[in-house]
Amino acid sequence: MIDEYQDTNKLQAHIACLLASAHKNIMVVGDDAQSIYSFRGANFKNIIDFPKIFKQAKIITLEENYRSTQPILNLTNEIIRQAKEKFEKALYTKKKAGKTPVFIDARDETAQSKYVADKILELREQGVELGDMAVLFRASWHSNDLEIELASRDIPFVKYGGQKFVEAAHIKDVLSYLRIAYNMSDEVSWLRALLLIPGIGPKTAHDIISEVIIHKKVAGAQEKLVRKPEELKKLFALLKQIDAARLSPAGIIQTVLEYYQPILKEKYDDFNRRLNDLDSLERIAGRYESLEQFLSDMALEPPERNIIEAGIKDHDDARVTLSTIHSAKGLEWHTVFLIYVAEGHIPSYLSLENDDEIEEERRLLYVAATRAKENLFLLKPHIDRAPRGFMDMGGSVFTQTSRFLSTANILNKFLQIESAGSINEFDDTQSPDLMVDKRSRDKEFFKIMGEYFGEGQDGSD
């Protein structure tokens, strides 16, 4: 007997068939609707074609579900019913009553994050533990804005399937420049910024910090301590250019990124995959007018650390789960939020030219929705400012609901539709499009990346 057969690769399936070739006595257990690991080598065809290889195979369908309410199952049944290849089944449960799943068309990413945070606090007051709530997403960077929103409200969370946004090295790099601009005596930030400069090691960096912070001799530090002071001059020129009192946090980040982009490309082999995080940082900064408040929210210590250090052992120990869909398979929660349920996100724009990949994206949505026991919320931002690839010049676009919900009128039949953030009153022309401005000024940088990776290729996730 082989369990989780939908996750086997071609070689494993071949071995299984060889082992059973003489007696044909083999049993496999699996769910074709949950085959979502092709990037690890899993082959969807293994389970689909099993009856074709073993023609006497008996298919036993287990359709009673012990997790979700019937309204949730009605939605998920219809989603997977649209799949091109599948074993026919219709899940049912004895939990007939239940709330209809909710689809929220939020004004933008910020409104999406605020809705999730508000609803988490509301449910917590109703007695739902934080640990019994989860936010799921297709790509790790989708939760960047939400992480800042949760931290600003002291809502503890744990993230699976990717690094926490503010703990990523490239985010720490950029924030170090902002912290220096805000507080020239921030030695930790100075050290990080200086060590990013080629030819400067810890000793030289500490010497420069001593000159700049203790002796207040910026010019002397440039000439005396570094053989080739050109890169250091650029850093000091950058810091001199930043007027924390006059510029907005987003404006400061624009200026910093012009300086930091060559460093990013030099330091990180996967720099193209990190661009989405930098774009997110700039969009998040656009929510703030004060650099002090922005840095304060970005530096918030995860609440769970405070809990552990204080030795508190009560219901507040629980944390909301943030997870990629791939990392959530096999798990369940009372309440599930699925964010970015829009074309280009679910399904991912990287899969749009391949029918098999689109079908796997459909199964991803199915897996995400079936994690919910009682409450299911699907959200999409009405305005999307996220880049659709590192060669994309960015800019605001109106999103389309995921095809997996618009097909067969699933959205209107099986979901309660709400809005968040006054979509009708939102005038995108009044919102400065930071990404268009920044990327149009950085065409040379993106041109270099295009030449490096090949025309038309896309390496972001």
Side-chain angles (χ1 to χ4, degrees), residues 2-9 12-14 16-17 26 28-31 43 46-47 50 53-54:
I2 304 171
D3 195 11
E4 300 290 357
Y5 197 65
Q6 78 279 349
D7 294 335
T8 57
N9 59 40
Q12 291 168 331
H14 190 197
C17 291
I26 182 172
V28 299
V29 180
D31 185 355
N43 189 349
N46 288 351
I47 191 166
F50 186 85
I53 298 172
F54 296 95

Side-chain angles (χ1 to χ4, degrees), residues 34-73:
Q34 297 194 49
S35 180
I36 60 173
Y37 293 119
S38 64
F39 69 95
R40 294 181 183 171
N43 189 349
F44 173 69
K45 290 292 187 179
N46 288 351
I47 191 166
I48 287 294
D49 290 343
F50 186 85
K52 298 178 183 178
I53 298 172
F54 296 95
K55 298 186 183 300
Q56 303 301 315
K58 181 180 180 180
I59 300 176
I60 301 172
T61 305
L62 305 178
E63 296 181 302
E64 184 171 1
N65 182 282
Y66 300 93
R67 174 187 296 151
S68 305
T69 62
Q70 194 60 51
I72 293 175
L73 293 179

Side-chain angles (χ1 to χ4, degrees), residues 404-450:
F404 306 135
L405 296 183
S406 57
T407 301
N409 203 24
I410 292 175
L411 180 62
N412 293 311
K413 287 182 179 179
F414 299 97
L415 289 135
Q416 174 184 328
I417 302 174
E418 298 180 2
S419 62
S422 302
I423 293 174
N424 294 332
E425 298 176 5
F426 182 72
D427 182 2
D428 192 45
T429 62
Q430 297 177 1
S431 178
D433 203 328
L434 304 174
M435 293 312 306
V436 168
D437 181 59
K438 173 173 75 69
R439 287 177 176 245
S440 63
R441 287 187 281 106
D442 297 332
K443 287 182 180 178
E444 183 61 29
F445 178 68
F446 288 93
K447 179 183 177 183
I448 293 172
M449 288 195 294

Side-chain angles (χ1 to χ4, degrees), residues 392-403:
D392 176 31
M393 290 295 108
S396 300
V397 297
F398 291 99
T399 61
Q400 293 182 341
T401 302
S402 170
R403 67 185 66 189

Side-chain angles (χ1 to χ4, degrees), residues 217-265:
K217 297 178 180 178
V218 175
Q222 295 182 58
E223 300 296 340
K224 185 171 75 170
L225 297 173
V226 185
R227 295 178 183 177
K228 297 180 180 180
E230 192 60 37
E231 294 302 318
L232 188 61
K233 286 181 180 178
K234 290 181 181 178
L235 173 59
F236 284 124
L238 166 70
L239 297 174
K240 186 177 180 180
Q241 184 181 354
I242 297 174
D243 185 346
R246 181 179 61 85
L247 293 175
S248 66
I252 294 174
I253 289 180
Q254 282 188 27
T255 302
V256 168
L257 289 181
E258 291 179 4
Y259 167 83
Y260 179 68
Q261 282 174 346
I263 297 175
L264 176 74
K265 181 176 180 295

Side-chain angles (χ1 to χ4, degrees), residues 102 137 147 192 295 340 353 413 442:
V102 182
F137 32 84
E147 290 178 41
R192 187 176 191 94
L295 291 176
Y340 273 106
E353 296 182 2
K413 287 182 179 179
D442 297 332

